[in-house]
């Protein structure tokens, strides 16, 4: 596999990470995952904006390559054109003697990226997801797309060990998001999801889904649901770049949100498919 490494596209084995890289040592960096549909990046500008915001939030002020530059460089080196896949890109604060504070003077950031194939899920026919509620013990700056993912890794592992595909995180019973997805519920006809603040990552898929819902006249409330509400919700689904929209059938081994994807979820999956195929703008 070819990868992007600090301005060059090289075979993976030739991307030599300096062990003093702050990304490697301290998890001091940020990342993005962008979906590629039919060879085209989906919502690239929104991902760039979020990446720039993450950079600003962690005080990474030096120049780093834009997503489009990395994407084009990697695409140009593909032997077969990538149709459905994903771009991973991360930038760390660079190589410096190990200190907790930022290197002063600043050093050049390190950027790593790769493309990988990822077929589209068949949204309307995919098996529904099983989920497990997990105490959200991550840090308090979840709006930053940080490469320090230990909290998310631990939660995802817990879900896996209990036969689920995703953890539904909560703080004292208030649902925040998944380990790598956002969570939506339909309660009394209203689509509910956590507001985009520091408790969650404001997912690009989340934003697209909110936009699709509003433009179809659905009522959307960006307000956290409790676990108790979630257990009684009429519909429940996850969103994310890799999973798109994924209806949930179980929470902690108990049935939730109906045994078939609900009415609003189906409308949104259909709208999302149309959006991906370029048939509608929003
Ligand atoms: N994760 N919340 C968290 C904590 C995430 O890590 C992600 C994405 C999302 C969904 O965001 P988006 O719709 O922009 O993908 C929500 C990526 C895909 C990952 O870590 O692989």
């Amino acid at each position: 596999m070819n990868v992007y490494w600090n301005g060059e596209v090289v075979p993976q084995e030739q991307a030599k990470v300096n062990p003093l890289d702050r990304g490697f040592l301290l998890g001091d960096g940020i990342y993005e995952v962008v979906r590629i549909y039919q060879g085209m990046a989906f919502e690239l500008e929104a991902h760039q904006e979020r990446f720039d915001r993450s950079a600003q939030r962690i005080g990474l002020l030096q120049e780093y390559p834009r997503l489009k530059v990395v994407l084009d460089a990697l695409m140009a080196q593909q032997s077969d054109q990538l149709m459905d896949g994903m771009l991973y890109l991360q930038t760390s604060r660079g190589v410096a003697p190990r200190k907790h504070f930022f290197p002063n003077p600043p050093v050049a950031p390190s950027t790593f990226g790769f493309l990988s194939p990822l077929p589209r899920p068949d949204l309307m026919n995919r098996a529904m997801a099983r989920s497990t509620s997990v105490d959200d013990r991550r840090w308090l700056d979840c709006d930053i797309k940080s490469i320090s993912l230990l909290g998310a890794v631990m939660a995802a592992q817990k879900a896996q060990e209990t036969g689920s595909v995703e953890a539904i995180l909560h703080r004292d019973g208030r649902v925040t998001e998944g380990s790598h997805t956002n969570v939506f519920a339909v309660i009394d006809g209203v689509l509910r999801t956590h507001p985009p603040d520091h408790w969650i990552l404001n997912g690009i898929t989340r934003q697209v889904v909110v936009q699709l819902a509003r433009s179809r006249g659905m009522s959307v409330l960006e307000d956290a649901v409790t676990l108790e509400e979630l257990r009684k919700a009429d519909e429940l689904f996850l969103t994310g770049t890799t999973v798109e929209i994924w209806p949930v059938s179980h929470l902690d081994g108990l049935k939730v949100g109906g045994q078939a994807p609900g009415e609003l979820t189906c409308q949104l999956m259909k709208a999302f498919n149309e959006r991906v195929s370029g048939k509608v703008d929003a």
Side-chain angles (χ1 to χ4, degrees):
M1 177 171 81
N2 285 332
V3 301
Y4 179 96
W5 181 231
N6 292 337
E8 283 182 285
V9 176
V10 294
Q12 184 190 325
E13 317 72 65
Q14 285 175 29
K16 300 273 185 259
V17 181
N18 185 320
L20 288 183
D21 194 292
R22 292 178 63 91
F24 179 71
L25 272 186
L26 306 168
D28 183 4
I30 51 175
Y31 78 108
E32 276 297 325
V33 181
V34 181
R35 197 62 188 247
I36 315 287
Y37 293 124
Q38 295 298 300
M40 305 268 289
F42 184 67
E43 294 290 320
L44 190 62
E45 259 173 55
H47 282 280
Q48 184 67 56
E49 269 171 37
R50 187 172 67 183
F51 193 68
D52 293 343
R53 192 177 171 280
S54 291
Q56 210 176 32
R57 290 274 281 115
I58 69 160
L60 182 71
L61 305 175
Q62 295 83 268
E63 254 192 62
Y64 48 81
R66 294 184 64 76
L67 288 162
K68 175 94 171 66
V69 168
V70 176
L71 175 67
D72 289 349
L74 285 165
M75 282 286 196
Q77 297 294 325
Q78 288 281 112
S79 42
D80 298 315
Q81 212 221 325
L82 181 73
M83 296 308 281
D84 287 345
M86 54 159 262
L87 166 71
Y88 176 89
L89 180 138
Q90 72 166 55
T91 293
S92 82
R93 210 184 301 274
V95 177
R98 185 181 180 278
K99 299 269 187 238
H100 286 74
F101 48 80
F102 301 174
N104 191 11
V107 295
S110 313
T111 295
F112 167 62
F114 65 88
L115 291 173
S116 74
L118 184 63
R120 280 211 62 201
D122 178 357
L123 293 193
M124 310 307 283
N125 297 304
R126 151 169 68 175
M128 292 172 79
R130 299 178 80 94
S131 64
T132 300
S133 60
V134 177
D135 190 19
D136 191 346
R137 302 174 70 90
R138 302 171 303 162
W139 69 337
L140 305 181
D141 289 316
C142 298
D143 55 315
I144 300 172
K145 203 158 169 60
S146 160
I147 59 171
S148 309
L149 285 175
L150 198 48
V153 165
M154 302 289 280
Q157 178 62 21
K158 198 156 187 183
Q160 172 99 3
E161 284 168 5
T162 49
S164 294
V165 295
E166 179 59 307
I168 292 191
L169 303 172
H170 65 95
R171 301 213 189 229
D172 290 329
R174 278 168 67 87
V175 174
T176 49
E177 59 182 334
S179 73
H180 60 287
T181 58
N182 292 111
V183 177
F184 284 77
V186 177
I187 296 170
D188 297 333
V190 178
L191 189 61
R192 299 262 301 272
T193 193
H194 198 287
D197 54 21
H198 68 282
W199 299 107
I200 68 158
L201 182 80
N202 188 5
I204 305 301
T205 323
R206 174 194 177 284
Q207 294 170 49
V208 168
V209 165
V210 165
Q211 201 184 17
L212 289 170
R214 290 209 164 113
S215 67
R216 273 153 191 78
M218 296 178 194
S219 29
V220 180
L221 188 59
E222 292 178 89
D223 183 28
V225 295
T226 63
L227 271 180
E228 211 173 309
E229 284 178 303
L230 211 59
R231 293 205 170 92
K232 291 187 278 185
D234 302 315
E235 304 179 30
L236 176 57
F237 63 88
L238 309 169
T239 64
T241 292
T242 46
V243 305
E244 302 188 359
I245 298 175
W246 199 355
V248 175
S249 60
H250 289 77
L251 175 62
D252 298 330
L254 300 171
K255 292 179 177 175
V256 278
Q259 288 320 288
E263 196 186 319
L264 294 195
T265 312
C266 285
Q267 279 183 41
L268 287 167
M269 291 194 292
K270 194 162 163 276
F272 191 82
N273 277 338
E274 287 171 359
R275 177 79 173 66
V276 166
S277 58
K279 290 199 193 115
V280 292
D281 289 339

